[in-house]
Amino acid sequence: MEELHSEAQQVEPPAPKIIGLTGGIGSGKTTVAHFIEEFGFPVYYSDDRAKAIVNESEDLKTKIKELLGEESYDENGFYDRKFVAGKVFSNQDLLQQLNEIIHPAVRTDFEDWVKKQTKYLVFKETALLFELKLNRQCYKSLLVTAEDNIRIKRSWTGIIKLIVKYRP
């Protein structure tokens, strides 16, 4: 009879299940994400991470400057969202090329983030869950909706806050 030997083995916990959290502008997805965090579950905020990554990654900085020019970053080396928006939102080709640079970096950042999580569920808050086919990596998806008049009011409130914040 063969003896079983007990060796100390490191057993990795199962990967957490990913729940996609999406909705249109002003739908309340960020509010829902905050409630989820209050219940102790981690939330990855895709837009926030994208805004950080374009400033953190030297590789991305180089690619973005090659695509849009040195003016894509200000004199302090920070991503110039106003300049970039002015270039890409009137040019679908440039917008697509920029997205092809940024979206894979955010995807990699998310995958690295998931590996560090210890909860059995993690949430990915993103407006483009279905458009970018990110729902394929999700166990389930949650769509947050609100009536149009509420979404418009929330969006305008956010725009007004930005105008006041960046007014000279």
Side-chain angles (χ1 to χ4, degrees):
M1 183 169 204
E2 190 175 316
E3 274 188 53
L4 296 176
H5 297 283
S6 174
E7 294 181 22
Q9 294 180 0
Q10 274 192 322
V11 177
E12 291 202 26
K17 291 187 177 184
I18 299 166
I19 308 295
L21 179 62
T22 193
I25 294 171
S27 64
K29 64 184 169 295
T30 302
T31 301
V32 171
H34 291 304
F35 285 133
I36 290 167
E37 286 180 312
E38 286 181 21
F39 281 99
F41 294 101
V43 177
Y44 181 90
Y45 294 90
S46 298
D47 286 349
D48 292 345
R49 285 302 301 146
K51 290 172 189 171
I53 292 168
V54 295
N55 286 307
E56 295 168 357
S57 168
E58 292 303 321
D59 183 46
L60 251 85
K61 285 183 180 185
T62 300
K63 289 177 181 177
I64 292 169
K65 287 178 184 179
E66 287 172 358
L67 177 66
L68 302 173
E70 292 292 323
E71 302 91 349
S72 303
Y73 286 82
D74 66 19
E75 63 277 356
N76 297 314
F78 291 104
Y79 188 70
D80 188 336
R81 293 181 61 197
K82 184 177 178 181
F83 172 82
V84 171
K87 290 211 57 153
V88 301
F89 287 116
S90 60
N91 184 327
Q92 283 300 108
D93 263 357
L94 276 181
L95 177 59
Q96 182 174 345
Q97 290 176 57
L98 180 63
N99 285 340
E100 288 171 359
I101 292 169
I102 295 174
H103 290 163
V106 174
R107 187 174 295 117
T108 299
D109 184 70
F110 173 69
E111 290 166 357
D112 292 343
W113 177 85
V114 169
K115 290 175 188 172
K116 298 173 188 170
Q117 302 309 310
T118 58
K119 296 285 186 175
Y120 63 97
L121 290 178
V122 298
F123 292 77
K124 180 176 190 172
E125 187 259 4
T126 180
L128 303 173
L129 185 70
F130 296 104
E131 294 82 351
L132 297 177
K133 299 180 177 31
L134 300 172
N135 59 307
R136 292 179 179 170
Q137 67 183 163
C138 297
Y139 171 68
K140 298 283 182 184
S141 301
L142 297 175
L143 174 64
V144 180
T145 62
E147 292 183 20
D148 286 347
N149 61 335
I150 293 171
R151 293 179 61 207
I152 290 167
K153 182 180 178 184
R154 289 175 182 164
S155 298
W156 275 110
T157 301
I159 291 168
I160 291 167
K161 286 179 184 177
L162 283 173
I163 290 169
V164 169
K165 180 178 179 179
Y166 292 107
R167 181 184 291 161

